[in-house]
Amino acid sequence: MGLVFAQVNSSDWRTYGHNSLGWRYSELAQIDTRNVSRLSTAWIYQTGLPGGFETTPLVFDGLMFIAGPSNNSWALDALTGRPIWHSHTTPPNKLNLCCGQVNRGFATRGDKLFRVNIEGTLVALDAKSGTTLWQTPIADYKQGYSATAAPLVVKNLVVTGIAGAEFGTRGFIDAYDADTGKRIWRFNTVPGEGERGSDTWSGDSWKRGGASTWITGTYDPELNLIFWGTGNPGPDMDGDVRRGDNLYSCSVVALDADTGELKWYYQFTPHDVHDWDAISDPVLADLTIENRKVKALMQANRNGFFYTLDRTNGKVLKAKAYTEVSWTEGIGADGRPILTKGQEPTEEGKLACPGLGGGHNWQATAYSPRTGLYYFPTSENCQLFYKTKQEFTEGEWYQASNVEGPPNSHGTGAILAVDPTTAATKWRFDMVSTPTAGILATAGGLVFTGDRQGYLIAFDDRTGKVLWKFQTGGAIVSPPISYALEGKQYIEVAAGGSILTFTLK
Amino acid sequence: MHFKIFALLVLIARFGLVQEDKPTVKNPFAGDAKAVESGRLQFRMACAGCHGLRATGGRSGPDLTRGTFAAGNTEADLYRVISDGVPGTEMPAFTSRLQDDERWRLASYINSLSPHDNVPIPGDPDSGERLFWEKGGCGQCHRIGTRGSSLGPNLSRIGRQRSLDYLRESIVSPDAEVTSGYATVTVVTRDGKKITGVERGFDNFSAQLMDLSNRYYSFQKDNVASIQREYRSLMPSNYVRLFSARELDDLLAFLAGLGGGER
């Protein structure tokens, strides 16, 4: 890539996606394809929590910072795993959550750490002590909001998303002053009355429109644009009460970093009725497609398609299904999907592919400039979708209604390596169940991921051959990361309720 | 002695009073059709994962459409079970997950499900019990209480867990819906030996299984020629021919009566 903004201090891990482009590519190459078979545990820290660690830790100044579930945070000595500080606040009793009290990590600027608490507050902590420096409420949990995403630091701003699209909330992306916690701008992902796009919602359905923003976006300093994916419209499976395209749900939005102003959007799934959020990492890279250099944005969308977009304008460059898809014949020249009739949920249940969890869900992805490949986990999991009429009550579950798998079936999955210039799959590693962990790529020619049954796995980045594996003893629902300390490269992963690191012995 | 009886009477009286003092013994939504519909929706979100979308029993939860329940048949009983869970089973307490009125609406919905199974079961359960252990040889793979084997699903509470239709289908067509965790795993070793058994573990790199003689195996996928998991049952498919229609009714009557207690 060669651009200044792609470079980071390779020994540290200072932001959710390792660089602001979301690559999750470590430049460290001490651990490589030839010696990875000698990878051994360096240390294990047991947090005492049962599990659910979706976090990407940050590592700098010799410390590893873990933003854990249920408003727990730790600083661990990155060399030994010994705990240096622990901070915890008790969440309110009556939270409205779709998916547990999870958290996906810290952001940092200077000596401050930033995280969201599950009840919808943004908190700044002192990195050296864990002391709270400021906290700002960003949404009201009683209305069904919650917060789980790692924030993104852009210049002096802390940018954060929100969760709660299963509770009839209205999504947004916020930016706060890193020094004071004061809100600088808000972009509502569902336009209000009179705003552009409001005519894509029937009646007053926009008020409960969802389009949450629960996975961290990316930032291109040259364009000064923030890219962020948006979630499903609400209620998830009853589209009758929200006729229209339901902008800007299931979209990626490009926002001016200083003002939050919308520069462009692309809606992957207009009028979604299958809960196919478009929140997956919007990863940025400069590619050569058909002999033309393009500033690209790639996403493995939950609707089963892999997309490469032009990130200067949102135009679709490549779009190809990477898993079984029943809802569309393909993506038209105008970027709009050509729908297959009769795929909407019904009271009796309608089988559609992919299932509710989608082809690729939220799990962190990796782009390797070494191979030019994009790595992500995918599910093969068709499901019966049920629609049920439901009256809206503030703060209550508003999904209307549910899914189930057909008898004698269960979801399987794979790790895919896709060439973003063609959208073609280069290799796949089949998995016996739907994937749960994120991905790390390294300059050592390795791709790391975990699985539901507790294996941490290292692949050859060009072939997908398994070169090493380790049974951690707990489900891995986090992405691995890498850092270096005192001349040694480490691989870290959270598994069950433990933090594990590995190095060459 | 007299004192003890007196003390017991006092206890019973006090217990009775405590019961009467409980504020929520009657469903505030009794007879409210809207509450039934609202409860149905709530059920799809909170309960269907275990009890099935139509409440006829699912992955682990009992069929709730039979009109009789292990913990009592009134709406207040249902509310209590939803609130507190059932110790010793997989049923969790929902006090902290669902509001009071939501739990009552769920009770309304479950109570509204027309009992489709309460026609008398025609078979003779005593004859069915003999068929189960003797002619059917079902105990070679299934356990009831302390008797039988653990290769197949434990049937100690199956009468409370599954509808009669489901039980009949399971005997007549064992492959129709294989209980989760009981798929068939076939391993072919590098020297050509084929081992087939019930899944005990299955991940990206290994498989564990138990064969029909209850022998346990563990294999690394790298060390064998092939490992395959299939959604078919190792249960024989010839019971529909082995048993007469009357014997099948007897067997069903026996299974439907299994609720975990003494027989």
Side-chain angles (χ1 to χ4, degrees):
Chain A
M1 175 114 186
L3 296 175
V4 171
F5 59 84
Q7 293 171 355
V8 291
N9 181 340
S10 57
S11 295
D12 295 346
W13 193 287
R14 283 178 176 265
T15 189
Y16 181 71
H18 193 45
N19 63 16
S20 78
L21 313 176
W23 286 7
R24 287 183 182 270
Y25 173 77
S26 169
E27 297 81 356
L28 299 171
Q30 188 180 69
I31 303 165
D32 62 26
T33 51
R34 286 161 300 160
N35 62 25
V36 67
S37 59
R38 291 194 285 116
L39 204 55
S40 308
T41 44
W43 52 260
I44 301 172
Y45 176 71
Q46 298 189 21
T47 65
L49 297 189
F53 278 78
E54 297 187 352
T55 191
T56 295
L58 301 188
V59 182
F60 55 90
D61 294 346
L63 293 171
M64 178 183 291
F65 302 99
I66 311 277
S70 306
N71 299 351
N72 283 284
S73 302
W74 291 266
L76 307 178
D77 179 77
L79 197 63
T80 65
R82 298 302 300 153
I84 304 303
W85 56 254
H86 172 230
S87 130
H88 173 247
T89 58
T90 303
N93 196 21
K94 294 281 182 196
L95 290 168
N96 295 300
L97 305 175
C98 76
C99 315
Q101 294 191 11
V102 296
N103 187 282
R104 302 194 185 83
F106 281 117
T108 186
R109 185 171 193 273
D111 53 7
K112 289 192 187 71
L113 296 168
F114 309 97
R115 67 165 285 168
V116 290
N117 279 347
I118 189 70
E119 67 269 27
T121 52
L122 178 64
V123 187
L125 303 177
D126 171 31
K128 292 290 186 303
S129 65
T131 308
T132 299
L133 301 173
W134 54 255
Q135 62 176 316
T136 305
I138 55 178
D140 183 358
Y141 72 87
K142 290 177 187 146
Q143 291 175 356
Y145 287 103
S146 55
T148 57
L152 176 72
V153 165
V154 175
K155 295 185 265 190
N156 192 41
L157 297 176
V158 185
V159 185
T160 185
I162 197 73
E166 274 67 53
F167 295 87
T169 59
R170 181 187 177 206
F172 56 82
I173 300 162
D174 275 359
Y176 296 84
D177 184 304
D179 294 323
T180 63
K182 183 172 170 259
R183 195 165 90 199
I184 305 299
W185 54 255
R186 166 168 290 187
F187 173 73
N188 286 304
T189 53
V190 179
E193 265 171 324
E195 292 176 350
R196 193 175 69 152
S198 61
D199 57 350
T200 63
W201 295 86
S202 57
D204 67 349
S205 58
W206 61 274
K207 291 180 178 170
R208 302 170 290 281
S212 53
T213 48
W214 51 282
I215 292 295
T216 311
T218 50
Y219 173 61
D220 179 342
E222 289 186 348
L223 298 174
N224 195 36
L225 288 179
I226 290 169
F227 304 92
W228 211 286
T230 66
N232 61 278
D236 304 44
M237 277 155 242
D238 183 8
D240 301 346
V241 299
R242 48 170 175 84
R243 296 194 181 279
D245 277 357
N246 306 143
L247 292 174
Y248 300 99
S249 67
C250 298
S251 304
V252 62
V253 292
L255 307 178
D256 181 292
D258 298 319
T259 63
E261 185 195 344
L262 180 69
K263 291 297 181 185
W264 58 257
Y265 72 92
Y266 172 69
Q267 190 175 40
F268 300 91
T269 317
H271 189 73
D272 166 60
V273 285
H274 297 99
D275 196 6
W276 290 332
D277 302 65
I279 49 68
S280 174
D281 301 340
V283 176
L284 316 179
D286 292 358
L287 306 175
T288 302
I289 299 180
E290 285 143 17
N291 297 320
R292 191 166 70 88
K293 284 201 182 305
V294 287
K295 289 180 174 297
L297 179 154
M298 56 192 109
Q299 191 190 61
N301 197 274
R302 192 158 155 174
N303 70 15
F305 275 73
F306 171 82
Y307 296 84
T308 303
L309 308 181
D310 182 332
R311 72 173 180 272
T312 65
N313 56 24
K315 294 276 180 284
V316 176
L317 301 172
K318 295 285 169 190
K320 191 172 179 185
Y322 59 84
T323 185
E324 187 179 353
V325 163
S326 69
W327 63 282
T328 176
E329 313 297 328
I331 311 301
D334 58 353
R336 202 175 168 87
I338 303 150
L339 295 183
T340 305
K341 283 200 166 59
Q343 284 288 294
E344 298 81 17
T346 62
E347 178 69 30
E348 300 75 31
K350 180 71 196 174
L351 191 72
C353 314
L356 179 124
H360 170 67
N361 198 287
W362 75 271
Q363 288 78 14
T365 61
Y367 170 73
S368 168
R370 214 185 84 86
T371 60
L373 297 177
Y374 184 55
Y375 305 93
F376 58 92
T378 168
S379 295
E380 314 287 336
N381 193 23
C382 305
Q383 283 180 314
L384 289 151
F385 286 78
Y386 294 86
K387 176 171 78 175
T388 310
K389 292 291 167 199
Q390 182 182 358
E391 278 179 34
F392 172 72
T393 308
E394 184 176 281
E396 287 192 10
W397 193 274
Y398 190 51
Q399 188 174 354
S401 73
N402 213 336
V403 290
E404 68 178 357
N408 286 354
S409 73
H410 78 286
T412 59
I415 303 298
L416 298 187
V418 167
D419 178 350
T421 66
T422 60
T425 298
K426 290 295 177 187
W427 59 257
R428 64 180 287 144
F429 173 77
D430 287 311
M431 298 177 112
V432 300
S433 53
T434 54
T436 50
I439 312 252
L440 164 73
T442 76
L446 297 168
V447 166
F448 288 87
T449 192
D451 72 17
R452 189 183 291 272
Q453 290 81 20
Y455 282 102
L456 178 65
I457 311 163
F459 302 97
D460 183 306
D461 63 1
R462 294 191 195 280
T463 64
K465 187 184 175 199
V466 174
L467 299 178
W468 174 86
K469 62 183 187 292
F470 179 85
Q471 174 51 251
T472 63
I476 300 176
V477 297
S478 63
I481 65 153
S482 188
Y483 63 96
L485 206 58
E486 297 186 0
K488 294 194 93 169
Q489 183 186 358
Y490 291 81
I491 304 293
E492 178 279 348
V493 74
S498 296
I499 311 297
L500 299 87
T501 62
F502 301 83
T503 192
L504 293 175
K505 284 280 164 68
Chain B
M1 190 72 179
H2 282 170
F3 175 75
K4 277 185 185 168
I5 289 170
F6 174 73
L8 189 63
L9 285 171
V10 168
L11 269 176
I12 290 167
R14 288 189 63 184
F15 186 62
L17 270 176
V18 169
Q19 288 292 299
E20 284 168 18
D21 283 351
K22 274 198 170 176
T24 47
V25 291
K26 195 166 175 292
N27 188 348
F29 304 108
D32 180 351
K34 231 176 137 184
V36 171
E37 179 55 24
S38 165
R40 182 174 79 100
L41 189 79
Q42 191 77 56
F43 187 91
R44 287 193 157 195
M45 312 309 292
C47 317
C50 293
H51 293 283
L53 269 153
R54 287 165 194 82
T56 51
R59 182 172 52 80
S60 57
D63 179 4
L64 300 176
T65 65
R66 301 176 64 180
T68 61
F69 303 96
N73 299 334
T74 69
E75 289 189 3
D77 293 327
L78 291 169
Y79 168 84
R80 182 170 45 77
V81 167
I82 295 164
S83 301
D84 301 340
V86 183
T89 74
E90 287 152 292
M91 175 71 187
F94 282 88
T95 311
S96 61
R97 299 189 228 181
L98 297 173
Q99 310 285 343
D100 191 64
D101 56 342
E102 290 172 327
R103 282 175 271 140
W104 275 118
R105 289 190 182 102
L106 272 175
S108 293
Y109 167 63
I110 294 165
N111 197 38
S112 77
L113 298 168
S114 55
H116 61 70
D117 262 350
N118 63 353
V119 285
I121 297 166
D124 170 7
D126 291 331
S127 161
E129 183 170 15
R130 284 192 298 277
L131 289 165
F132 182 92
W133 296 113
E134 293 162 18
K135 186 175 178 181
C138 310
Q140 285 176 34
C141 294
H142 294 286
R143 180 178 294 277
I144 295 172
T146 56
R147 193 175 168 192
S149 159
S150 294
L151 191 65
N154 187 323
L155 303 181
S156 300
R157 291 172 48 82
I158 200 69
R160 291 240 169 251
Q161 290 171 318
R162 293 288 185 273
S163 69
L164 204 57
D165 288 345
Y166 184 98
L167 293 176
R168 185 182 293 275
E169 184 187 65
S170 297
I171 297 167
V172 173
S173 321
D175 291 341
E177 187 173 348
V178 178
T179 305
S180 178
Y182 290 89
T184 295
V185 174
T186 304
V187 174
V188 180
T189 62
R190 283 193 178 152
D191 56 4
K193 201 173 151 199
K194 189 172 167 184
I195 298 143
T196 300
V198 176
E199 170 190 352
R200 284 290 181 264
F202 201 82
D203 62 38
N204 287 319
F205 301 103
S206 72
Q208 292 73 39
L209 56 142
M210 190 90 84
D211 73 7
L212 287 171
S213 60
N214 273 316
R215 185 170 165 197
Y216 173 80
Y217 297 85
S218 180
F219 296 99
Q220 295 282 340
K221 290 187 181 176
D222 282 350
N223 299 337
V224 297
S226 71
I227 290 184
Q228 197 182 8
R229 176 168 62 172
E230 297 166 279
Y231 284 98
R232 64 181 174 89
S233 175
L234 281 177
M235 179 165 151
S237 54
N238 64 345
Y239 282 113
V240 69
R241 293 187 296 278
L242 181 71
F243 291 130
S244 68
R246 183 172 174 168
E247 285 175 328
L248 199 56
D249 281 346
D250 292 350
L251 189 60
L252 283 166
F254 167 61
L255 293 172
L258 294 173
E262 291 285 322
R263 229 194 80 78

